[in-house]
Structures are given as structure tokens and as C-alpha cells.
Amino acid sequence: VRVEAAAETLRFPEGFRWGAATAAYQIEGAAAEDGRGPSIWDTFARKDGRVFAGHTGDVACDHYRRYREDVALMAELGVGTYRFSIAWPRVKPDGTGPVNVRGLDFYDRLVDELLAHGVEPMVTLYHWDLPLALQSHGRGGWGDRDTAACFAEYAAVTASRLADRVGTWTTLNEPWVSAFLGYASGDHAPGHTDNRAAFRAAHHLLLGHGLAAQALRTAGVRELSLTLNLARVNPDDPGDPHDVAAAWRVDGVLNRIFLDPVLRGRYPLDMLGLFERFGAADAIVDGDLAVISAPIDLLGINYYQPALVRAQVGAAAHPMYPGSEGVAFLPQPGPVTDMGWTVDPSGLSDLLLRLSREYPDTPLMVTENGAAYADALTGDRVADPERIAYLDGHLRAVHAALSGGADVRGYLAWSLLDNFEWAFGYDKRFGLVYVDYETQRRYPKDSALWFRTITRANAL
Ligand code: PNW
């Protein structure tokens, strides 16, 4: 699909949801406040060399204390839907067992504040901050089947407190990142490099999604979702069957390994082959896929860039894509962001159209899209024309997909605020709002003001 830079106004459907997203560990700080237990990111960030300059989420954007100011800012910036995550270690400091009511109280206040300002809350239950107790003293985190059951308990107690006011619930954010950056490449907490554990984690995350989905339905949740980071995997030469096969293999371990179990009730055969190969097939127990494939109401998609690969005899597997021996990952043409990620909006329209074709009848929502740039504060202003161009291009891509028949219900920018960008610490700024980490002052960037004009008009 070509994404045209049209001169005419592009209208979005009535009721299209516009907003921004964040995640607990990336913004909250207050790591030891009100009974919060430690998470795997608290310890990972303290390990030598794992996170840029030894940064941690101890303070982050101090959102835990400044949430009122942040909600007021959202209202001012026209954020209609706010996607945030709940810190499991605030709700259950040991991952399982007693509930820490003060932790739930915070989210209760946050939700009320959002509603009072006319902002729709959208909750994600797991955005990577696993309670440390589930990953220490012999426990293997998502490598263990138990963790899925613990997750469902936590989902139940959280929904029983908030489901009367929060309509849209997401179980997991990006299980691919949790499983393969956490357990295979080791770039994220818990920092393991064990392909068997990574595949077990992938399955247990899916099982956790399914068990939590049951708990959420029981609690009366109406709109249930799962967010995946998906990307189109392009073959270097679409006419070369080897390149096409290489792209398909990477597509499996990035996209189909999660899409098929949830939306079709089965793992693709090539993925079952990888479970076997890495000794993880016994993690898949009879009946699991029925749990995993319970209907969802919305599929969240986080999109940043496509991938480009070709077949290359003898190439070692990419550490984030176990089983990708013989595949070379190529640099892609076009401009890059401060992450080094290629800017290619056509990858988003292609992805949305593919999903609506291959997994029909699942409403879609872009739950993250955005770019990091080396922003600078000049006086009170941050001029970020590149971010505006990035967002503009990707919104045109969403519009193109809508025109092509994709059922896209909304678009959330990543992120509301500059924040703790995982292994990159505070070095990468994804926010619509600039955060001065010395003063904790917030400065809406030019992109935030631009985004407001779009969301207000419901048109581009
Ligand atoms: C997503 N990768 O993470 C997350 O949901 C956000 O928390 C994060 O801040 C944002 O994207 C920007 O990175 C990803 O290596 C992290 O392919 C890494 C990858 C993909 C997504």
C-alpha cells in the first residue's frame, strides 16, 4: 500500500478513540511507596551495564505523586483515552498472596481523576514489572506455569476494584518482548539467555492471558484486549523464494506465535517445531489452547518499524528471534529515529490490512506508535518537527488502512511523557510532553499541540 501525502482532509470514523499511552515502571517512580514490592526491573536496572548509565525507575517522572497534574495536562492536551499499566507489585507485593490495598488505592484515585476530567481510562495489567518474588528463590518467572495462575489472581482482585469504572482491559503488553528480550536475548529483565525458557515463557504468558481473561469476564469486563508488538517482515527480494521463506520464519516467531493461538486456537506448525527443537513443547498442556483462544473484543497493536531480511547461508540466529539461523537482518532504507528504528508508515497500513484479512472480525486499535528524538528545551518550547512528521505519516497510514476496510477503532501515541525507556534509561525521549528530570516540570512539545488539533478535528 502506498501512503499518499494527500492535500485533502482525511476524516476518521465517528467515535474513533484518540489518546496516549504510558507504563507503570516507566513513569511512576515511588518504587518503595505505600507497600509496593520489588519487581524484576528494580533488580535488573541495578545490574552492571544492563541499563544505560545505571538509570533506574526509582523516581522516573514521579507520576505516582504528580498524577493529578498529569491528568490535568492530558485533559488540556485533548487526550481522550489514556492507556496506562498497573504495577502488579503494588497490588500484590509478593506476586501472590496478600493484597496491598494502598497499592490499589492509587489506581482507584487515578481512575477517578481521569473520569472527572473526561478522560477514558484503559488499563493494562502487565507491562513487564513482574513481582521479584516470582523470579527468585527458585521461581522462574514466566518460565514457570504457576506464574500464569498468579497473574489471573492478580487480574481478578484488580478488576474487582476497578471494573465498575474502567471499561477496557488489556491483559499483557507485548508478550514477545517479555519472552524473547527477557529470556532469549537478555536485553530486558530478567536478563536470561535461554531459548527453552523463552519458549516456555511465551506459552505461559499466553496461558496467563487466557486465565486472566476468564477472571476479567467474571468481573464483568466488557471490552477485553491483548496488545501485541507486530511488524511486517519484508523479504529483501520478494521474487526469491529463499528470502520469502526467511521472512516467513521471522514472521512466525514475532507475529504468528501469538496471533494464531489467541485468534485461531492453535500454534502454527513451524512454531510447534521450534517449541520441540528448544525442548519446550511439554509446556503446552491439553486444554491450554482453549483457554488462550477465548474471544477478545479488541486487539491492540504496537507498531514502530517493519523488518527486512534475506536468506544467508551460515548466518547465526538473531538473539531476539531463536530459530532464525540462516536469516540476515538488513538495514532498511529511509530516515531513522533516535532509536535507530526506520521510519516506514507503509509498514503500519500493510500490517493493519493483513490482520483484517487473515484474522477477520477482530477490531483493532493502535495502542502504541511514536518515535524517540533528541529533543531540546529552548526556553519553554520543544520544537520536534520530526516527531510531527512521524505521527502524521503513521496517521495517514492508519487512514489508508481504514479506507482499505480495516476495522481500526483508535490510535494512541507512545508516549504521553518522556520516560524510562527500559535498557536505554532516560536517554531516549518518546514523549509528546518533555520532562525535565531535574525539576520534574512538564513541557508540551510542538507535537503535543499538533496532535491536539488532529484529535479535536477527528481529521488530518
Ligand atoms: C515498546 N524491540 O517496547 C513498549 O511497549 C514500550 O514500553 C516502549 O517504551 C516502547 O515500545 C518504545 O521502545 C519495545 O526491541 C521495546 O523490538 C523493544 C522492542 C519493541 C518494543
Side-chain angles (χ1 to χ4, degrees):
V1 169
R2 275 194 51 190
V3 180
E4 307 276 349
E8 77 205 83
T9 304
L10 303 179
R11 311 219 129 270
F12 285 79
E14 201 161 323
F16 192 79
R17 288 147 90 179
W18 296 96
T22 63
Y25 190 68
Q26 294 182 274
I27 66 164
E28 285 179 358
E33 218 71 19
D34 293 337
R36 176 187 179 277
S39 85
I40 57 173
W41 269 95
D42 293 298
T43 47
F44 184 75
R46 284 178 170 70
K47 284 191 186 134
D48 271 355
R50 295 308 186 102
V51 173
F52 173 83
H55 292 169
T56 74
D58 286 1
V59 177
C61 306
D62 197 29
H63 171 77
Y64 191 79
R65 271 180 275 263
R66 293 167 194 265
Y67 72 94
R68 286 203 172 81
E69 177 196 336
D70 289 337
V71 172
L73 190 57
M74 289 177 218
E76 190 186 312
L77 293 175
V79 171
T81 298
Y82 174 52
R83 171 180 180 256
F84 63 96
S85 80
I86 291 187
W88 182 350
R90 288 197 194 281
V91 177
K92 290 206 171 208
D94 294 323
T96 179
V99 173
N100 174 41
V101 176
R102 286 179 299 161
L104 278 174
D105 289 346
F106 169 69
Y107 298 105
D108 200 87
R109 294 194 298 276
L110 173 61
V111 164
D112 284 345
E113 193 73 10
L114 289 164
L115 294 172
H117 283 78
V119 180
E120 180 202 26
M122 181 169 172
V123 159
T124 298
L125 284 166
Y126 186 69
H127 202 126
W128 310 349
D129 43 0
L130 186 75
L132 182 63
L134 300 180
Q135 193 113 47
S136 48
H137 301 104
R139 301 191 72 141
W142 290 109
D144 292 355
R145 190 174 172 90
D146 275 6
T147 300
C150 296
F151 180 60
E153 286 170 21
Y154 148 67
V157 68
T158 305
S160 72
R161 182 75 186 265
L162 300 175
D164 59 334
R165 283 155 293 149
V166 176
T168 306
W169 290 71
T170 304
T171 54
L172 307 174
N173 177 69
E174 304 189 349
W176 179 81
V177 172
S178 298
F180 294 103
L181 271 64
Y183 294 82
S185 75
D187 290 305
H188 279 192
H192 297 176
T193 50
D194 172 352
N195 288 337
R196 175 171 181 268
F199 278 87
R200 292 173 65 83
H203 182 70
H204 295 145
L205 281 153
L206 282 167
L207 182 62
H209 156 76
L211 295 172
Q214 290 178 350
L216 293 172
R217 290 289 186 210
T218 305
V221 166
R222 281 161 292 118
E223 193 173 41
L224 191 83
S225 70
L226 166 69
T227 277
L228 302 176
N229 58 302
L230 302 172
R232 195 180 158 85
V233 185
N234 293 308
D236 187 35
D237 177 358
D240 180 340
H242 296 100
D243 286 3
V244 171
W248 184 247
R249 285 167 58 205
V250 173
D251 181 72
V253 79
L254 175 59
N255 301 318
R256 288 179 290 113
I257 190 174
F258 297 107
L259 287 167
D260 282 23
V262 173
L263 299 172
R264 292 179 175 164
R266 56 183 147 81
Y267 281 108
L269 279 180
D270 56 337
M271 291 303 103
L272 286 176
L274 290 184
F275 274 100
E276 291 282 352
R277 180 181 154 193
F278 294 114
D282 61 336
I284 307 169
V285 175
D286 273 357
D288 285 358
L289 283 149
V291 173
I292 291 167
S293 60
I296 56 173
D297 306 303
L298 189 70
L299 178 67
I301 293 142
N302 295 350
Y303 173 81
Y304 291 93
Q305 63 164 349
L308 182 65
V309 302
R310 70 178 163 83
Q312 184 185 295
V313 176
H318 188 301
M320 294 179 189
Y321 301 91
S324 65
E325 287 85 356
V327 179
F329 286 75
L330 307 177
Q332 307 185 58
V336 294
T337 68
D338 198 31
M339 297 293 284
W341 296 351
T342 299
V343 180
D344 182 357
S346 75
L348 178 54
S349 38
D350 288 348
L351 175 64
L352 294 168
L353 288 167
R354 173 206 178 171
L355 292 169
S356 62
R357 216 171 35 240
E358 295 183 13
Y359 305 89
D361 307 320
T362 305
L364 309 174
M365 181 167 183
V366 178
T367 41
E368 285 181 24
N369 176 240
Y373 287 107
D375 301 309
L377 187 62
T378 315
D380 272 1
R381 182 174 169 211
V382 178
D384 59 342
E386 296 153 303
R387 183 171 292 102
I388 294 176
Y390 183 99
L391 297 172
D392 180 76
H394 287 79
L395 286 172
R396 286 178 193 282
V398 171
H399 195 275
L402 282 162
S403 304
D407 183 7
V408 188
R409 302 291 176 90
Y411 175 95
L412 310 179
W414 183 267
S415 175
L416 177 71
L417 303 170
D418 289 339
N419 60 47
F420 176 80
E421 177 49 33
W422 307 112
F424 300 88
Y426 300 98
D427 190 44
K428 305 294 179 200
R429 293 181 176 273
F430 271 94
L432 294 173
V433 175
Y434 184 93
V435 176
D436 177 334
Y437 293 110
E438 308 257 301
T439 61
Q440 289 293 350
R441 273 197 63 179
R442 279 79 162 122
Y443 301 87
K445 301 176 190 177
D446 284 1
S447 56
L449 307 177
W450 173 86
F451 192 58
R452 173 168 64 189
T453 63
I454 306 303
T455 64
R456 280 195 179 150
N458 197 36
L460 196 57

